[in-house]
Amino acid sequence: MTSALQCRHGSESGFETQALAGPGPLIDHLRHVARDARCKSYVDLFGACATLSVNGHVARYAASEILVRCLSQALGRRPILFRDGECETSFDEDWLMSLARSIKTNDQASTTFLLHSRVPKHAHRNLVFLLGTVADNFARI
């Protein structure tokens, strides 16, 4: 579904148009970064945090890039991230949004559940650090 409008029954003409809310700025950002990073070389999840810079802007973008490049290691398979501007979200994107929301609101029970449902224990800390760093730059998740 690439249309920004959705029709529903119920108005006098038989249809009413409702604008769909997009997936959110965090997912749009990660989709954009994933597109830019798809041809880059392999990065190990455990060594990835060393590439973060002291410069805040560089560190934010580096955390995003490392997150999307290493997400397949954490999940055990390549995640499905749709193109920029797509209204639909994949299961992986929904899972990432839920995890980012639980990290940002400090909901330990949800964070633990989401991590244990898909990520091996040895990757929990790095994934939480990277996603938390990226999510901190977005007011709305």
Side-chain angles (χ1 to χ4, degrees), residues 67-87:
L67 175 66
V68 297
R69 288 173 68 188
C70 297
L71 196 55
S72 61
Q73 294 173 51
L75 296 177
R77 64 170 185 75
R78 188 172 169 208
I80 296 173
L81 299 175
F82 293 150
R83 282 182 276 164
D84 296 355
E86 195 70 35
C87 289

Side-chain angles (χ1 to χ4, degrees), residues 6-18:
Q6 175 184 13
C7 293
R8 294 185 334 185
H9 290 288
S11 68
E12 294 176 353
S13 65
F15 292 95
E16 102 185 18
T17 305
Q18 174 187 15

